Amino acid sequence: QILVNVGGHFDSARSIFIAPRKGVYSFTFHVVKVYNRQTIQVSLVLNGWPVITAFAGDQDVTREAATNAGLVTMERGDKAYLKLERGNLMGGWKYSTFSGFLVFPL
């Protein structure tokens, strides 16, 4: 479910953000594992390379989030997306969020 997509630069069919212009972008993500006793590893991927990673691996809780945020420099047409590097999400991505915006153009 997309809540806001001003400019339409998030491709919902592929779950990829495509930078409309060169600049510094801010991204945050919260990926929730539910009733899952394994560790998950989630990365923000920029043009195929992981740049920010988060883990959730507590075995004694029923819900836990792998959360992170950061600033990245992107060129026009660069692609950013989340990738589950380790583990699996029971119930899919429905409890998770991903957001990004242009901080300032370069």
Side-chain angles (χ1 to χ4, degrees):
Q1 176 185 6
I2 297 174
L3 301 178
V4 177
N5 191 10
V6 175
H9 300 290
F10 182 77
D11 179 342
S12 61
R14 298 184 299 160
S15 297
I16 294 174
F17 173 78
I18 302 169
R21 63 187 306 172
K22 181 178 180 178
V24 175
Y25 290 79
S26 173
F27 289 100
T28 62
F29 59 90
H30 309 276
V31 178
V32 178
K33 66 180 194 124
V34 180
Y35 301 109
N36 186 343
R37 299 184 78 70
Q38 63 182 321
T39 298
I40 62 168
Q41 175 185 350
V42 181
S43 294
L44 174 70
V45 177
L46 178 61
N47 296 323
W49 296 93
V51 292
I52 301 170
T53 300
F55 296 87
D58 192 328
Q59 302 294 310
D60 297 323
V61 296
T62 57
R63 292 174 182 85
E64 185 181 18
T67 301
N68 214 333
L71 298 173
V72 296
T73 302
M74 298 179 77
E75 299 288 333
R76 181 178 182 189
D78 281 356
K79 296 173 178 63
Y81 57 93
L82 294 183
K83 180 179 181 185
L84 185 64
E85 305 270 15
R86 178 178 171 195
N88 65 58
L89 297 176
M90 297 173 75
W93 295 85
K94 67 183 173 183
Y95 300 112
S96 303
T97 62
F98 172 64
S99 64
F101 59 90
L102 175 66
V103 177
F104 58 89
L106 294 175

PDB file of all heavy atoms in Angstrom, residues 28-40:
ATOM      1  N   THR A  28      14.377   5.892   5.214  1.00  0.00           N
ATOM      2  CA  THR A  28      14.160   5.170   6.463  1.00  0.00           C
ATOM      3  C   THR A  28      13.382   3.899   6.152  1.00  0.00           C
ATOM      4  O   THR A  28      12.596   3.857   5.205  1.00  0.00           O
ATOM      5  CB  THR A  28      13.352   5.989   7.495  1.00  0.00           C
ATOM      6  OG1 THR A  28      12.056   6.265   6.969  1.00  0.00           O
ATOM      7  CG2 THR A  28      14.046   7.288   7.847  1.00  0.00           C
ATOM      8  N   PHE A  29      13.626   2.866   6.963  1.00  0.00           N
ATOM      9  CA  PHE A  29      12.841   1.648   6.807  1.00  0.00           C
ATOM     10  C   PHE A  29      12.680   0.937   8.145  1.00  0.00           C
ATOM     11  O   PHE A  29      13.535   1.042   9.021  1.00  0.00           O
ATOM     12  CB  PHE A  29      13.424   0.707   5.748  1.00  0.00           C
ATOM     13  CG  PHE A  29      14.833   0.232   6.003  1.00  0.00           C
ATOM     14  CD1 PHE A  29      15.074  -0.932   6.724  1.00  0.00           C
ATOM     15  CD2 PHE A  29      15.915   0.922   5.489  1.00  0.00           C
ATOM     16  CE1 PHE A  29      16.364  -1.385   6.931  1.00  0.00           C
ATOM     17  CE2 PHE A  29      17.207   0.475   5.686  1.00  0.00           C
ATOM     18  CZ  PHE A  29      17.437  -0.681   6.418  1.00  0.00           C
ATOM     19  N   HIS A  30      11.541   0.290   8.282  1.00  0.00           N
ATOM     20  CA  HIS A  30      11.195  -0.518   9.447  1.00  0.00           C
ATOM     21  C   HIS A  30      10.589  -1.800   8.898  1.00  0.00           C
ATOM     22  O   HIS A  30       9.499  -1.768   8.327  1.00  0.00           O
ATOM     23  CB  HIS A  30      10.179   0.191  10.342  1.00  0.00           C
ATOM     24  CG  HIS A  30      10.567   1.589  10.698  1.00  0.00           C
ATOM     25  ND1 HIS A  30      11.408   1.877  11.734  1.00  0.00           N
ATOM     26  CD2 HIS A  30      10.239   2.770  10.124  1.00  0.00           C
ATOM     27  CE1 HIS A  30      11.575   3.191  11.798  1.00  0.00           C
ATOM     28  NE2 HIS A  30      10.884   3.750  10.832  1.00  0.00           N
ATOM     29  N   VAL A  31      11.291  -2.897   9.036  1.00  0.00           N
ATOM     30  CA  VAL A  31      10.807  -4.178   8.516  1.00  0.00           C
ATOM     31  C   VAL A  31      10.532  -5.076   9.718  1.00  0.00           C
ATOM     32  O   VAL A  31      11.435  -5.380  10.497  1.00  0.00           O
ATOM     33  CB  VAL A  31      11.828  -4.822   7.556  1.00  0.00           C
ATOM     34  CG1 VAL A  31      11.329  -6.173   7.074  1.00  0.00           C
ATOM     35  CG2 VAL A  31      12.093  -3.888   6.382  1.00  0.00           C
ATOM     36  N   VAL A  32       9.281  -5.473   9.850  1.00  0.00           N
ATOM     37  CA  VAL A  32       8.840  -6.204  11.037  1.00  0.00           C
ATOM     38  C   VAL A  32       8.743  -7.692  10.746  1.00  0.00           C
ATOM     39  O   VAL A  32       8.122  -8.105   9.770  1.00  0.00           O
ATOM     40  CB  VAL A  32       7.475  -5.670  11.520  1.00  0.00           C
ATOM     41  CG1 VAL A  32       6.984  -6.454  12.726  1.00  0.00           C
ATOM     42  CG2 VAL A  32       7.585  -4.175  11.839  1.00  0.00           C
ATOM     43  N   LYS A  33       9.362  -8.474  11.626  1.00  0.00           N
ATOM     44  CA  LYS A  33       9.175  -9.921  11.569  1.00  0.00           C
ATOM     45  C   LYS A  33       8.182 -10.279  12.667  1.00  0.00           C
ATOM     46  O   LYS A  33       8.229  -9.740  13.768  1.00  0.00           O
ATOM     47  CB  LYS A  33      10.498 -10.675  11.732  1.00  0.00           C
ATOM     48  CG  LYS A  33      11.158 -10.555  13.069  1.00  0.00           C
ATOM     49  CD  LYS A  33      12.452 -11.337  13.115  1.00  0.00           C
ATOM     50  CE  LYS A  33      12.929 -11.495  14.532  1.00  0.00           C
ATOM     51  NZ  LYS A  33      13.138 -12.848  14.952  1.00  0.00           N
ATOM     52  N   VAL A  34       7.257 -11.151  12.322  1.00  0.00           N
ATOM     53  CA  VAL A  34       6.173 -11.512  13.228  1.00  0.00           C
ATOM     54  C   VAL A  34       6.187 -13.016  13.453  1.00  0.00           C
ATOM     55  O   VAL A  34       6.178 -13.785  12.497  1.00  0.00           O
ATOM     56  CB  VAL A  34       4.808 -11.078  12.639  1.00  0.00           C
ATOM     57  CG1 VAL A  34       3.677 -11.442  13.572  1.00  0.00           C
ATOM     58  CG2 VAL A  34       4.812  -9.582  12.337  1.00  0.00           C
ATOM     59  N   TYR A  35       6.204 -13.429  14.715  1.00  0.00           N
ATOM     60  CA  TYR A  35       6.162 -14.856  15.071  1.00  0.00           C
ATOM     61  C   TYR A  35       7.204 -15.657  14.292  1.00  0.00           C
ATOM     62  O   TYR A  35       6.906 -16.675  13.693  1.00  0.00           O
ATOM     63  CB  TYR A  35       4.766 -15.442  14.851  1.00  0.00           C
ATOM     64  CG  TYR A  35       3.716 -14.736  15.654  1.00  0.00           C
ATOM     65  CD1 TYR A  35       2.775 -13.919  15.038  1.00  0.00           C
ATOM     66  CD2 TYR A  35       3.688 -14.853  17.032  1.00  0.00           C
ATOM     67  CE1 TYR A  35       1.820 -13.252  15.780  1.00  0.00           C
ATOM     68  CE2 TYR A  35       2.733 -14.179  17.782  1.00  0.00           C
ATOM     69  CZ  TYR A  35       1.802 -13.397  17.151  1.00  0.00           C
ATOM     70  OH  TYR A  35       0.869 -12.741  17.890  1.00  0.00           O
ATOM     71  N   ASN A  36       8.396 -15.151  14.276  1.00  0.00           N
ATOM     72  CA  ASN A  36       9.451 -15.760  13.472  1.00  0.00           C
ATOM     73  C   ASN A  36      10.698 -15.829  14.342  1.00  0.00           C
ATOM     74  O   ASN A  36      11.221 -14.802  14.757  1.00  0.00           O
ATOM     75  CB  ASN A  36       9.678 -14.886  12.228  1.00  0.00           C
ATOM     76  CG  ASN A  36      10.653 -15.495  11.256  1.00  0.00           C
ATOM     77  OD1 ASN A  36      11.396 -16.390  11.600  1.00  0.00           O
ATOM     78  ND2 ASN A  36      10.657 -14.983  10.050  1.00  0.00           N
ATOM     79  N   ARG A  37      11.208 -17.007  14.613  1.00  0.00           N
ATOM     80  CA  ARG A  37      12.311 -17.170  15.543  1.00  0.00           C
ATOM     81  C   ARG A  37      13.685 -17.084  14.882  1.00  0.00           C
ATOM     82  O   ARG A  37      14.677 -17.387  15.499  1.00  0.00           O
ATOM     83  CB  ARG A  37      12.156 -18.485  16.297  1.00  0.00           C
ATOM     84  CG  ARG A  37      10.862 -18.526  17.104  1.00  0.00           C
ATOM     85  CD  ARG A  37      10.729 -19.773  17.924  1.00  0.00           C
ATOM     86  NE  ARG A  37      11.505 -19.785  19.152  1.00  0.00           N
ATOM     87  CZ  ARG A  37      11.266 -19.045  20.228  1.00  0.00           C
ATOM     88  NH1 ARG A  37      10.288 -18.166  20.191  1.00  0.00           N
ATOM     89  NH2 ARG A  37      12.003 -19.165  21.305  1.00  0.00           N
ATOM     90  N   GLN A  38      13.732 -16.646  13.642  1.00  0.00           N
ATOM     91  CA  GLN A  38      15.020 -16.532  12.980  1.00  0.00           C
ATOM     92  C   GLN A  38      15.426 -15.067  12.819  1.00  0.00           C
ATOM     93  O   GLN A  38      14.604 -14.166  12.917  1.00  0.00           O
ATOM     94  CB  GLN A  38      14.991 -17.221  11.628  1.00  0.00           C
ATOM     95  CG  GLN A  38      14.022 -16.620  10.639  1.00  0.00           C
ATOM     96  CD  GLN A  38      14.008 -17.378   9.336  1.00  0.00           C
ATOM     97  OE1 GLN A  38      15.038 -17.810   8.860  1.00  0.00           O
ATOM     98  NE2 GLN A  38      12.835 -17.526   8.753  1.00  0.00           N
ATOM     99  N   THR A  39      16.678 -14.840  12.554  1.00  0.00           N
ATOM    100  CA  THR A  39      17.197 -13.500  12.314  1.00  0.00           C
ATOM    101  C   THR A  39      16.877 -13.063  10.892  1.00  0.00           C
ATOM    102  O   THR A  39      16.966 -13.860   9.964  1.00  0.00           O
ATOM    103  CB  THR A  39      18.728 -13.476  12.524  1.00  0.00           C
ATOM    104  OG1 THR A  39      19.003 -13.809  13.885  1.00  0.00           O
ATOM    105  CG2 THR A  39      19.319 -12.126  12.203  1.00  0.00           C
ATOM    106  N   ILE A  40      16.494 -11.793  10.767  1.00  0.00           N
ATOM    107  CA  ILE A  40      16.353 -11.221   9.434  1.00  0.00           C
ATOM    108  C   ILE A  40      17.417 -10.143   9.254  1.00  0.00           C
ATOM    109  O   ILE A  40      17.849  -9.512  10.214  1.00  0.00           O
ATOM    110  CB  ILE A  40      14.947 -10.636   9.158  1.00  0.00           C
ATOM    111  CG1 ILE A  40      14.615  -9.496  10.113  1.00  0.00           C
ATOM    112  CG2 ILE A  40      13.897 -11.719   9.170  1.00  0.00           C
ATOM    113  CD1 ILE A  40      13.377  -8.704   9.706  1.00  0.00           C
TER     114      ILE A  40
END
